[in-house]
Amino acid sequence: MATGTGDFGVLSAVEGIRLSSVEAGVRYQNRRDVVVVEIAEGSTVAGVYTLNAFCAAPVKIARQHLSDNQGKCRYWLINTGNANAGTGKQGAVDALACCQSLAELAGCDPTEVLPFSTGVIGERLPAGRITAALPGALEQLQPDNWLSAAKGILTTDTRPKGLTRTLQLNGRIVTITGISKGAGMIKPNMATMLAYVATDLSVDYAQLQALLSDAVSQSFNRITVDGDTSTNDCCMLAATGRAGVAFTELSDSDKAQFRGALNEVLQSLAIQIIEDAEGASKFVTIDVSGGETSKECLQVAYAVAESPLVKTALTASDPNWGRILAAVGRAGVPALDVDSVSVSLDAVPLVERGQLSADYSEEKGQAVMNQEAITISIDLGRGDAKERVWTSDLSEEYVRINASYRS
C-alpha cells in the first residue's frame, strides 16, 4: 500500500558522483542490497545522524571518519538487510572491515569510506558477503545510476524515492539530486531513514553542514509514521564543486535560491517517505498555528500525528474529531485555553473555540476523510508560531509488515 503517484521525474547525474548497486545476499537473494557512491576528490561532505542512544556501529564510524577528515570523503558504502546495530564491539569490527576492503580496492584511505546500514537490528553484519560484492560494485560505477541506487537502498519501501532540481547561478547550471529510503520506524530526530543528496556547487565544510542541518529541520525532522526513531538514520550531502561556481561567490539572492532548491529536494524526499509509509492509505498534513512557540506547535502536531486512535480513525475514514481534541489536550501545552482552540479538516470547520462548529456536518467531514490526502489544521489561539508535520494512518497492513519483519 502507498499513497500518491510515486512519480518524481528523471534523476539527473551530478558531475563528480558515480553510483552502483549490486546483489550481495546480505539477507535475501536476488535483491540489490549493496550500494556504492563514489565522490570525486576535492568534494566536501556533510552529515546529520540519528540521536538514538543505541545508534548503530556504522553511524558512529561514519560520523567519526567525516569529522576526522573535516568533510573529506571518497565513498559512501551502504547495505540493506542488516542494520549492524546492537552488535557491540564486533559491529564496529565488521563495519571497519568493509571500509578497509573498499579502500584497498579503490586506492584511498579507509577513513575516506563512510559505512551505512539498514535492516534488522541485533544480528551480526555478514561483512564477507559485502566485501565479496565490492569489486563488481566498483566496476559498475556510473554517473547516471541514481535510480538504480535508489532501488538498492530500499527495505520495506514499495518504490524508490528521489528528486532532481537544476538552477542557474552565476551563469552556471547547478544540479541537486537526492534519493532516500524509509517506510517504517519513522520519526526522525536528526533523522529516521537514509538519504543521500549531491550537488555540483562548491561549498565549504562548515557552510555545507549548516545548509544541510537547516534543510533537515524543515523536512526529515517534520515527518512521523510511528513515532520510532531508528538506530541507523543518516542524511548525507556531498558538494563536488564541478559546476565551477562556489557558494561564497553567489549573491544573496542566488544563495537564497540554492537554499530553497536544496530544501525543496529534502522536503520532497521526506514527503515521499510518508506517501510510501508501511501500510499507508492516507497522506496527512498537520498544520498547527497560533502557538506561543514553535516547540509547543510541534508538541501538538506530533501528539495528533502519533495518536494510534487518530491514525486508526484515518484508516477507517472516520471523522472522529473527539480523538483529535483529546490528542491536542494531552500534548502538554502549558495553560492551554481549550476555549481558544479551533480545528478544521481541509476547509471544513470542525471545532471552533473548543466545541463543535455550527457549520460542521458529518457529511462534510466524511467527504474529507474519504480522500487519500487530508490536512488537519489546528489553531491554538495563543500566539503567532506555526509548524507543519506530515504523517500517515495506521492500518492492519502496517501491523502485518512489522509482525513478520524478520521472516
Side-chain angles (χ1 to χ4, degrees), residues 244-404:
V245 59
F247 185 79
T248 54
E249 300 170 355
L250 301 179
S251 65
D252 288 346
S253 61
D254 277 355
K255 286 179 179 177
Q257 188 181 354
F258 179 77
R259 286 192 187 95
L262 179 63
N263 290 351
E264 181 185 356
V265 170
L266 265 67
Q267 191 171 102
S268 175
L269 295 177
I271 287 172
Q272 289 178 57
I273 286 174
I274 295 301
E275 289 179 331
D276 191 32
E278 289 173 347
S281 65
K282 304 287 186 183
F283 172 79
V284 185
T285 302
I286 300 180
D287 284 328
V288 180
S289 61
E292 290 186 353
T293 65
S294 291
K295 179 182 178 181
E296 69 181 32
C297 289
L298 287 173
Q299 283 179 253
V300 171
Y302 279 116
V304 174
E306 294 169 355
S307 164
L309 291 177
V310 172
K311 294 171 84 69
T312 50
L314 287 163
T315 295
S317 298
D318 179 11
N320 191 341
W321 58 273
R323 293 182 174 183
I324 299 173
L325 280 193
V328 172
R330 66 169 173 78
V333 175
L336 178 64
D337 179 5
V338 295
D339 291 332
S340 297
V341 175
S342 298
V343 180
S344 64
L345 296 175
D346 283 4
V348 176
L350 186 60
V351 173
E352 291 182 342
R353 304 191 67 80
Q355 58 185 318
L356 186 65
S357 169
D359 294 330
Y360 178 75
S361 70
E362 192 75 4
E363 291 75 19
K364 292 178 181 178
Q366 188 65 62
V368 175
M369 292 295 282
N370 287 341
Q371 300 169 177
E372 182 180 84
I374 298 167
T375 297
I376 300 173
S377 298
I378 302 163
D379 186 347
L380 301 179
R382 54 193 266 131
D384 298 322
K386 60 182 179 180
E387 287 290 348
R388 172 174 288 175
V389 165
W390 295 280
T391 192
S392 58
D393 58 329
L394 181 60
S395 68
E396 293 180 31
E397 180 67 5
Y398 174 90
V399 176
R400 186 198 65 76
I401 290 169
N402 285 282
S404 59

Side-chain angles (χ1 to χ4, degrees), residues 22-28 31-35 78-81 152:
V22 295
E23 297 178 12
V26 173
R27 187 172 188 85
Y28 305 104
R31 180 170 176 171
R32 294 180 182 270
D33 52 9
V34 168
V35 171
I78 310 148
N79 76 267
T80 68

Side-chain angles (χ1 to χ4, degrees), residues 16 39 75 107 154 159 161 196 211 240 253 258 272 289 319 342 366:
I39 304 165
Y75 291 91
L154 304 182
R159 62 198 187 200
K161 300 157 183 67
Y196 303 96
L211 288 167
T240 68
S253 61
F258 179 77
Q272 289 178 57
S289 61
S342 298
Q366 188 65 62

Side-chain angles (χ1 to χ4, degrees), residues 54-61 82-95 117 120-126 231-232:
F54 273 101
C55 68
V59 175
K60 297 177 183 178
I61 292 168
N82 185 301
N84 194 11
T87 47
K89 294 180 180 179
Q90 186 62 51
V93 170
D94 291 334
S117 299
V120 175
I121 295 170
E123 296 181 3
R124 183 176 174 182
L125 185 73
T231 54
N232 290 63

